[in-house]
Amino acid sequence: MKRVDVVVIGAGAAGLFCAAQAGQRGARVLLIDHADKIAEKIRISGGGRCNFTNRDATPANFHSRNPHFCRSALARYTSQDFIALVQRHRIAFHEKHRGQLFCDDSSQQIIDLLMRECEDGNVERWQPCAVRALRAREGAGERAPRYEIDTDRGPVEARSVVIATGGLPVPKIGATDFGLRIAKQFGHPLVEPRPALVPLVFDAAEWAPFVALAGVSLEVEISSGSGKQRARFVEDLLFTHRGLSGPAVLQASSYWQPGETLQIAFAPGTDWCQTLSRAKATSRRQLGNELATHLPQRLAQAWLARGGLPEDKPMPEVADKPLRQLAESLSAWRIAPAGTEGWKKAEVMAGGVDTREIDSKTMESRRAPGLHFIGEVVDVTGWLGGYNFQWAWASGYACAEAL
Ligand code: FDA
């Protein structure tokens, strides 16, 4: 039986960072992952350049059944802390959009950073290595249980176990429900997992008028969700053959529940009623040409066809009522997705291990002392833009401090 202080299961973003931090604090750490390759999600992230954090990350950029849960960890390990680490490793990076920081060269640099940090912490890594079972063993006179882990490479005993096996997206690179199963085994409630940051799809018949728009992209204001879970984003939207994608829709998808309607305003900030009635009074353009001064031409054409409005009608001749209806549809397009593109295309999992039974300062289970959950497996989901990695670093750090 191999004996260590801590076993971290899952050598992705959260697991590597937590293992390194715990090792550097003096714990004997064994890191186990079943995949052949290390940290595949980091490698494919950010289009190969890893959007490793967001300069402006705050708890408001995350959603969870308990929105306060992430506060403590995010405050104790901030994006500035991770930026300082990236700088110490002399990795060049740039800001792309709204605080999103990417490597100049390759996401492999972040993997190399994490590996070097693990070396500094003398972290031992077993990979590929499958974990078959995890048991808590109560010892006579001991305050906390010890954990026995059956693996492909033999049994291991540890006083603490960290579950860092991530979420369900992209099963072909090693995602599993291991963390969710362990949570259930130890009596943890789950928040129903669902694909998030994912393109949305529509019924084929409903989508038929928009299929020809595949590839059209434009800025919109999009609202999604209901009640406290309602969110609004101003970002780019992309029409696809099956539905909608682009940053606006990925963000909105995290708040969308089946059966709900999305609301989309084209050219955010435009008062369409005022803009079109002013154009009617002052412009001699045809309706199609007028609309195309505000929207991509293909979209303008499809929108008029959908509303049964003739493109070639001169603006002064368009009747008030259809013009008002057109303005309303451009300010508030209401559309009900049939579903999402699913786990294959999702960037993250929303839901996961319910935070009510986890200590927000240590990520430790309240049901099983010594058992911790970090990263995406926990019901904390970030927006698009580097926030999910920031949660991986912050939750990994909070946990490591307590090990
Ligand atoms: P992660 O998925 O990183 O690691 C989990 C590890 O556990 C894996 O190594 C896996 O092999 C292992 N594992 C799973 N089951 C196991 C088992 N049964 N036994 C042993 N090991 C097991 N976020 C962001 O902030 N910026 C970005 O640019 C992107 N880009 C991006 C692109 C794409 C295509 C995807 C799919 C996702 C992103 N993300 C992102 C999200 C980000 O990758 C994700 O939130 C973090 O990697 C989560 O870190 P974790 O360590 O929790 O899981």
Side-chain angles (χ1 to χ4, degrees):
M1 170 86 79
K2 184 177 177 69
R3 289 190 172 80
V4 293
D5 297 321
V6 181
V7 168
V8 179
I9 307 177
L16 281 162
F17 192 62
C18 179
Q21 292 293 323
Q24 289 174 22
R25 284 175 160 72
R28 279 173 306 141
V29 183
L30 173 64
L31 176 59
I32 301 178
D33 198 296
H34 72 149
D36 294 334
K37 289 193 187 158
I38 183 108
E40 274 294 86
K41 270 202 192 151
I42 301 180
R43 192 180 58 75
I44 63 171
S45 68
R49 292 226 163 90
C50 187
N51 178 193
F52 55 80
T53 191
N54 192 294
R55 203 189 280 287
D56 307 318
T58 74
N61 306 114
F62 295 82
H63 57 98
S64 164
R65 190 170 279 178
N66 174 5
H68 300 297
F69 179 82
C70 61
R71 283 181 181 278
S72 170
L74 290 172
R76 275 155 51 215
Y77 193 84
T78 65
S79 50
Q80 298 309 319
D81 292 319
F82 197 76
I83 293 166
L85 181 66
V86 167
Q87 285 168 333
R88 268 206 306 284
H89 283 257
R90 299 183 186 284
I91 298 173
F93 63 91
H94 59 278
E95 179 173 339
K96 208 166 172 179
H97 177 62
R98 297 184 187 169
Q100 300 169 8
L101 303 184
F102 288 75
C103 298
D104 284 357
D105 293 336
S106 155
S107 47
Q108 184 61 42
Q109 295 174 292
I110 298 295
I111 301 175
D112 294 344
L113 172 158
L114 293 166
M115 297 299 282
R116 282 202 295 275
E117 290 290 314
C118 280
E119 275 166 33
D120 287 350
N122 294 315
V123 174
E124 186 178 356
R125 183 162 55 93
W126 287 1
Q127 185 170 13
C129 173
V131 175
R132 298 205 202 94
L134 170 64
R135 287 179 299 279
R137 186 173 50 74
E138 310 282 342
E142 285 174 17
R143 273 191 304 132
R146 295 191 74 81
Y147 289 90
E148 289 175 356
I149 303 122
D150 295 337
T151 81
D152 273 359
R153 301 197 194 180
V156 186
E157 192 191 78
R159 64 171 158 75
S160 301
V161 172
V162 181
I163 305 296
T165 47
L168 297 172
V170 204
K172 75 169 187 238
I173 57 166
T176 71
D177 65 352
F178 180 86
L180 302 175
R181 279 190 279 119
I182 294 294
K184 272 199 251 174
Q185 178 188 329
F186 286 90
H188 274 265
L190 299 182
V191 175
E192 183 64 21
R194 58 194 167 81
L197 298 182
V198 63
L200 296 170
V201 296
F202 295 82
D203 283 337
E206 198 184 341
W207 199 246
F210 308 110
V211 171
L213 293 178
V216 169
S217 167
L218 76 162
E219 193 177 63
V220 299
E221 180 181 311
I222 189 164
S223 316
S224 169
S226 57
K228 279 192 185 159
Q229 292 292 327
R230 190 156 180 86
R232 193 182 60 81
F233 297 93
V234 175
E235 291 271 12
D236 284 353
L237 168 145
L238 173 71
F239 284 84
T240 71
H241 288 285
R242 282 160 46 85
L244 294 172
S245 187
V249 171
L250 299 185
Q251 300 279 34
S253 73
S254 298
Y255 293 84
W256 178 78
Q257 296 282 354
E260 286 177 359
T261 304
L262 299 176
Q263 185 169 308
I264 294 168
F266 295 114
T270 306
D271 180 335
W272 280 105
C273 233
Q274 204 180 67
T275 303
L276 292 178
S277 34
R278 195 182 303 128
K280 177 175 157 136
T282 57
S283 166
R284 307 210 58 76
R285 287 197 191 100
Q286 295 178 340
L287 178 56
N289 291 338
E290 181 61 37
L291 207 52
T293 63
H294 303 281
L295 298 176
Q297 188 161 24
R298 272 157 74 199
L299 177 61
Q301 285 167 340
W303 217 255
L304 293 176
R306 176 177 168 266
L309 288 164
E311 268 183 62
D312 55 0
K313 193 160 232 175
M315 280 309 290
E317 293 171 29
V318 184
D320 286 340
K321 191 172 168 200
L323 206 59
R324 209 172 42 248
Q325 285 168 342
L326 176 63
E328 278 162 14
S329 72
L330 292 166
S331 327
W333 180 33
R334 288 189 187 82
I335 189 154
T340 75
E341 291 271 12
W343 294 115
K344 274 191 200 164
K345 292 283 169 69
E347 277 199 17
V348 281
M349 173 177 83
V353 182
D354 195 323
T355 58
R356 280 176 300 181
E357 299 287 339
I358 302 177
D359 184 319
S360 64
K361 298 207 167 49
T362 60
M363 303 292 134
E364 187 174 15
S365 161
R366 294 191 202 284
R367 300 212 164 211
L371 180 65
H372 300 247
F373 293 91
I374 59 171
E376 196 178 316
V377 73
V378 178
D379 172 35
V380 173
T381 310
W383 289 1
L384 187 75
Y387 302 101
N388 285 295
F389 280 136
Q390 188 55 37
W391 172 245
W393 319 137
S395 58
Y397 185 87
C399 175
E401 275 197 318
L403 289 171

